Amino acid sequence: MKYVFIVNPIAGNDDKSKIFSRIKSTFRQLDDEMIIEETHQHGEAKDIAKRYADKFGSDCVIVSCGGDGTVHEIANGIAGTDAPLMVLPLGTGNDFAKKVYGTKKINVENVIKAFGFYNGRIKYDIKPIDLIDYNGEKCINVMSFGVDTLVEIMGKKIANKFPFIGHQAYNIGIIPVLMKPLHYKLSYDITCFDKETNEEYQMKCDDKDYALLAICNASYYGGGFCPAPNSILDDGLLDFTMIDGLSLAEAVPLILKYSEGTLTEETSKRVHQGYIKSGRIWMSDGSNLLGNCDGEDFYYNEVNFKVEQKALKICMIKD
């Protein structure tokens, strides 16, 4: 088996050289091969992952060694192939890893030990999970629109300028964004699913006044905010949370609940939630949507999306 470690050298604050030195020592005792590929520009992780997945298929594991951006690129490179993804959370936010490993307090050393990379007894289960297809690209975690995209943009600027702050950059990024009214516009035509009746229904609106729309395959984004605490990675459905346009005074009481995953229709009349299978979201004036996927900003004025069932294999820690 080939283990291809795709490393974003500037992601996170962990001592990668120390970590990889220990893992290399383990591989010297094994018949398996360790391959390290560093990335140096945007999109390179996708290309590297695709090259190995196409060549070796199920005989290789693609190991993401970075943050959510690296996971996003690799997922786009290996979706639909037999090569599984393994996530070593070496980034700043590591939001997708929070879902995969069931905790908001990620410890990369514990993850590495659980996979057996330090003792030479490598073990894991492979599980197929869903993805979001949007305009032909893949989203593994959360596609979102509105205030959270502005916070994402601001958080990245802060994190790049002050890397020692880590994921707290996103929390700090909230402050300047909230200084302006949280009223944005988008139009949508979405196919939803009612779990109680097992029936589909349409949700449509032109020029909706909204503050936030999160369409979730997983649960966390933006450094730990949780719009979909009960999301299931392989149920063929996407959880959504939409929040109507808000004033600052209305928004402040909702922020902590949104972070903790306790903001629901029951706790606020401004919140709308449910499950989605597919849809179309657009700007009626032709301007760009205020949106991102997996923390990667996009510049579309229209997004056509759908859940792509069990499109990616992922390595899970054995119980």
Side-chain angles (χ1 to χ4, degrees), residues 147-148 150-151 154 173-182 184:
V147 64
D148 48 1
L150 289 175
V151 172
M154 185 61 66
I174 294 171
I175 298 171
V177 173
L178 289 181
M179 294 300 102
K180 297 181 180 180
L182 306 181
Y184 315 108

Side-chain angles (χ1 to χ4, degrees), residues 109-130:
E109 292 284 341
N110 289 342
V111 173
I112 294 170
K113 289 174 184 176
F115 280 126
F117 283 128
Y118 284 164
N119 62 19
R121 294 188 292 273
I122 300 174
K123 57 180 181 178
Y124 49 86
D125 290 321
I126 296 178
K127 173 183 178 180
I129 66 169
D130 302 333

Side-chain angles (χ1 to χ4, degrees), residues 5 35 104 124 240 246 252 313:
F5 291 75
I35 301 169
K104 289 184 75 171
Y124 49 86
F240 80 86
L246 300 166
V252 170
K313 295 178 172 65

Side-chain angles (χ1 to χ4, degrees), residues 145-146 182-188 206-211 281-285 287-290:
F145 304 86
L182 306 181
H183 290 276
Y184 315 108
K185 297 285 186 181
L186 55 64
S187 301
Y188 55 80
D206 290 325
D207 291 327
K208 165 69 176 177
D209 175 36
Y210 81 109
I281 300 173
W282 71 96
M283 294 295 292
S284 60
D285 64 0
S287 61
N288 287 334
L289 287 158
L290 185 61

Side-chain angles (χ1 to χ4, degrees), residues 271-285:
V271 176
H272 314 281
Q273 295 174 314
Y275 304 96
I276 293 175
K277 285 192 169 183
S278 62
R280 172 175 169 250
I281 300 173
W282 71 96
M283 294 295 292
S284 60
D285 64 0

Side-chain angles (χ1 to χ4, degrees), residues 210-221:
Y210 81 109
L212 178 153
L213 170 61
I215 299 173
C216 310
N217 187 42
S219 294
Y220 304 97
Y221 74 139

Side-chain angles (χ1 to χ4, degrees), residues 63-197:
V63 187
S64 175
C65 305
D68 293 303
T70 306
V71 171
H72 172 84
E73 287 193 21
I74 292 174
N76 274 269
I78 66 176
T81 74
D82 291 326
L85 164 69
M86 180 181 287
V87 180
L88 296 190
L90 288 163
T92 302
N94 301 311
D95 288 310
F96 181 68
K98 292 182 175 86
K99 180 66 177 182
V100 173
Y101 302 128
T103 177
K104 289 184 75 171
K105 297 181 178 180
I106 293 287
N107 184 308
V108 67
E109 292 284 341
N110 289 342
V111 173
I112 294 170
K113 289 174 184 176
F115 280 126
F117 283 128
Y118 284 164
N119 62 19
R121 294 188 292 273
I122 300 174
K123 57 180 181 178
Y124 49 86
D125 290 321
I126 296 178
K127 173 183 178 180
I129 66 169
D130 302 333
L131 294 175
I132 305 172
D133 181 287
Y134 66 105
N135 290 3
E137 298 183 63
K138 312 300 178 187
C139 173
I140 194 171
N141 191 27
V142 175
M143 177 169 65
S144 60
F145 304 86
V147 64
D148 48 1
T149 299
L150 289 175
V151 172
E152 188 82 34
I153 293 170
M154 185 61 66
K156 281 183 179 178
K157 290 180 179 178
I158 295 171
N160 289 336
K161 191 170 184 179
F162 307 103
F164 61 87
I165 294 176
H167 72 272
Q168 293 299 325
Y170 297 98
N171 296 329
I172 297 171
I174 294 171
I175 298 171
V177 173
L178 289 181
M179 294 300 102
K180 297 181 180 180
L182 306 181
H183 290 276
Y184 315 108
K185 297 285 186 181
L186 55 64
S187 301
Y188 55 80
D189 183 355
I190 294 173
T191 300
C192 302
F193 184 78
D194 188 322
K195 283 190 173 182
E196 292 186 2
T197 64

